[in-house]
Amino acid sequence: MTQSQRAALVGMIRDAVGRCWNPPQSPNPADVRVVLQFRLNRDGTVQNLPTVVERPNSPYAAAAADSAQRAVYVCAPYQLPAELYDGPDGWQEMRVTFDPREMF
Amino acid sequence: MTAALAATATATGIARPGFSRTVRRLAPIGALVAAFFSATPALAVLEVDITRGNIAPLPIAITNLVGTGIDAQLGADISAVITADLRRSGIFAPTDAATFIQRDINPDEAPRFGDWRIINSQALVTGRVVSQPDGRLRVEFRLWDVFAGQQLDGQQLYTTPQNWRRIAHIIADAIYERLTGEPGYFDSRIVFVDETGPREARIRRLAIMDQDGANLTYLTPGGNPNDIVLTPRFSPNSQELTYMVYRSNRAPQVVLRNIQTGQEQLLPGQFTGMTFAPRFSPDGGRVVLSMQSGADTSIFVLDLRTGGQTRLTNVPAIDTSPSYSPDGRQIVFTSDRGGSPQLYVMGADGSNQTRISYAGGTYSTPVWSPRGDLIAFTRQMGGEFQIGVMRPDGSGERILSTSTSVQEGPTWAPNGRVIVFSRTDGGPNGGPRLWSIDLTGYNEIMLPTPNFASDPAWSPLLN
């Protein structure tokens, strides 16, 4: 995968998942920062419940993790370039950081 | 007539006899198989950083709590109140019940998530109502994440049947908190001044209602237009009020009132001048207020136990509308010492009086958020009346609502996310109404009151 292919792929995923992400509205973005890891099937459906790799130490933790998981499901199935599914940096498995630092 | 109303209301609406609530967590149904990822990511995993989302009301399906006989109707009524609370918040979009596919809800089983995904509900509420042999109600609910296919919350509550609306508000608060990460505000009440009659002879009665407008009760008879009630404020435990009364042309006085017993009493201690604009301290042990003496008005704090008074401001000016920070360490107030009414903050002992409003125009009726992070105020500029917020150091000023009609007197929801204020529309038949607006500046809606209404004050959470 070339650098530009990779950048384009990341941009597509960012737009597709961000569109469905409805984060809790905390005054402090770090309060709702969540990292998820999950796998997609070739048809763009979600293979398993996204694992919460990092969650904030705040009262928003549960709501933030749920909102990120919902975003992954609600916007599926994803239409991504089939040739970039496998291999290093393919979209078969990804780790997504949800951090609303440009929102509030 | 008004006295009878007040008496009836005290017996049923306010005292809420026999209220008790027991909450028990319900164990999750159908727990999912644990995800199989290890904590360490593989090297090849694609990393994506999302920094923007899309704020939109969350689609949530609220099914009627099931029950047999009269419990079924009660279940439907409770669900209707939950639905109305969540919809009014602007944060949720309750799904139209006519679109529901799964109709056979079994509260002991996981729902058919696919049926709820098809109609785009992201969250789902199910539950039941069961009358108990002792006359109480057992109300259960479960909150589901439809797409993840998991239970987010489940509770069992017991109460007396007449408290069914409170149970609905408590459930709505639990749903709000689980999905937003912030405490709710639905199990709370609003006290205000009800206004009837022609403008030149208004009858003003102290009234209290649930935050959704239900269970309206009059606390004072108000048969005489010369009896004026102003600025009611809740004590921290929601059981007492302090307000100013102006009865039949006698000197205005600040009084205390026990909501449950209806007993009204003067503040302890002697004041040498007219007192007004009272507010409780966050610990409930003191009242801060204004006292007029000659051309000047100063802020005093009164110890409710001893009756001892302490003067906090002492300048040739009108200092009024004091409001404590939630930690009790500071007070925000209005003063015209600089030439026009502006906002000032001082220590609770009167130290370090510092002006914080500088954006032009005049400022009044400041009130500190229960979260401590913001101060709401009324600002008047260029013929417009604005409701806004700023940080306690004066930075970050934001205007939430602007109108050419008089609007004033903001009060905070217990969670610090919503503000209620009064707006007086002009015209020969005009009068004040209560409006609420989100801290985001969106979702401006009028509160249902039977008559004109002014001077709102929102209670803390009741539970």
Side-chain angles (χ1 to χ4, degrees), chain B residues 60 62 82-92 172 175 186:
Chain B
I60 182 171
I62 300 148
I82 297 169
T83 302
D85 278 348
L86 296 180
R87 176 177 286 122
R88 216 173 37 257
S89 76
I91 294 176
F92 300 91
I175 294 167
F186 304 119

Side-chain angles (χ1 to χ4, degrees), chain A residues 14 19 21-22 24-25 39 48 51 60 62 66 69-70 89 93-97 99-103, chain B residues 35-37 41 44-56 122 145 150 152 178 180 182 417:
Chain A
R14 181 183 292 137
R19 189 161 48 86
W21 181 37
N22 191 359
Q25 296 177 48
R39 280 189 188 158
N48 65 299
T51 304
Y60 298 92
D66 295 342
Q69 287 182 331
R70 268 198 302 277
D89 282 351
E93 181 170 358
M94 59 183 107
R95 176 184 271 241
V96 180
T97 302
D99 181 342
R101 61 183 180 273
E102 291 181 9
M103 281 185 80
Chain B
F36 56 81
F37 282 113
V45 168
L46 183 66
E47 304 248 357
V48 180
D49 191 16
I50 296 179
T51 56
R52 281 182 178 280
N54 190 9
I55 298 296
Q122 296 187 18
D145 187 315
Q150 55 188 355
L152 299 177
R178 185 61 184 79
T180 69
E182 300 193 336
R417 294 291 305 186

Side-chain angles (χ1 to χ4, degrees), chain B residues 228-246:
Chain B
I228 292 174
V229 187
L230 288 173
T231 63
R233 309 293 180 217
F234 277 99
S235 68
N237 66 7
S238 308
Q239 300 302 310
E240 281 185 299
L241 297 171
T242 181
Y243 50 93
M244 190 188 106
V245 291
Y246 198 5

Side-chain angles (χ1 to χ4, degrees), chain B residues 84-370:
Chain B
D85 278 348
L86 296 180
R87 176 177 286 122
R88 216 173 37 257
S89 76
I91 294 176
F92 300 91
T95 312
D96 181 0
T99 66
F100 292 177
I101 297 167
Q102 184 179 3
R103 302 270 169 178
D104 55 333
I105 298 286
N106 179 343
D108 296 322
E109 287 179 2
R112 293 194 297 272
F113 293 112
D115 285 1
W116 300 97
R117 282 183 209 129
I118 289 173
I119 59 170
N120 293 319
S121 293
Q122 296 187 18
L124 169 68
V125 179
T126 61
R128 64 150 72 92
V129 177
V130 185
S131 290
Q132 302 295 289
D134 63 4
R136 292 189 306 161
L137 294 177
R138 188 178 87 230
V139 182
E140 297 173 5
F141 79 94
R142 293 180 198 271
L143 172 65
W144 305 91
D145 187 315
V146 169
F147 281 83
Q150 55 188 355
Q151 181 179 316
L152 299 177
D153 197 2
Q155 292 185 29
Q156 200 173 62
L157 305 101
Y158 290 87
T159 188
T160 50
Q162 64 264 38
N163 283 312
W164 69 270
R165 290 193 76 95
R166 272 203 68 189
I167 285 297
H169 294 314
I170 287 165
I171 293 172
D173 279 332
I175 294 167
Y176 182 102
E177 178 157 9
R178 185 61 184 79
L179 293 174
T180 69
E182 300 193 336
Y185 57 89
F186 304 119
D187 184 28
S188 61
R189 291 190 281 177
I190 293 174
V191 64
F192 62 98
V193 177
D194 174 277
E195 301 188 19
T196 50
R199 185 170 294 178
E200 60 280 6
R202 280 275 157 82
I203 304 286
R204 290 181 169 84
R205 286 182 290 178
L206 199 57
I208 191 168
M209 63 184 186
D210 296 348
Q211 53 76 31
D212 62 353
N215 289 323
L216 180 94
T217 301
Y218 293 103
L219 300 176
T220 58
N224 184 338
N226 293 323
D227 288 353
I228 292 174
V229 187
L230 288 173
T231 63
R233 309 293 180 217
F234 277 99
S235 68
N237 66 7
S238 308
Q239 300 302 310
E240 281 185 299
L241 297 171
T242 181
Y243 50 93
M244 190 188 106
V245 291
Y246 198 5
R247 293 240 160 85
S248 300
N249 303 322
R250 282 182 299 181
Q253 293 169 308
V254 170
V255 298
L256 297 173
R257 182 188 195 92
N258 182 303
I259 298 176
Q260 198 157 337
T261 66
Q263 191 187 18
E264 191 180 90
Q265 63 182 80
L266 291 175
L267 288 179
Q270 295 288 315
F271 286 93
T272 54
M274 180 176 102
T275 53
F276 54 100
R279 266 189 208 277
F280 282 95
S281 61
D283 65 4
R286 288 157 288 158
V287 166
V288 63
L289 47 68
S290 290
M291 184 170 77
Q292 184 184 348
S293 178
D296 296 330
T297 296
S298 300
I299 293 172
F300 288 75
V301 64
L302 175 78
D303 187 307
L304 291 174
R305 198 170 41 83
T306 65
Q309 297 167 17
T310 309
R311 175 191 277 269
L312 299 182
T313 68
N314 193 3
V315 294
I318 295 174
D319 296 340
T320 189
S321 302
S323 170
Y324 276 98
S325 60
D327 64 7
R329 291 182 180 169
Q330 289 175 286
I331 292 170
V332 62
F333 62 102
T334 305
S335 177
D336 66 354
R337 63 186 66 182
S340 69
Q342 299 294 334
L343 305 186
Y344 290 74
V345 166
M346 64 181 170
D349 58 358
S351 59
N352 300 320
Q353 297 176 17
T354 309
R355 179 172 163 182
I356 60 165
S357 60
Y358 283 102
T362 64
Y363 290 77
S364 58
T365 64
V367 55
W368 216 300
S369 159

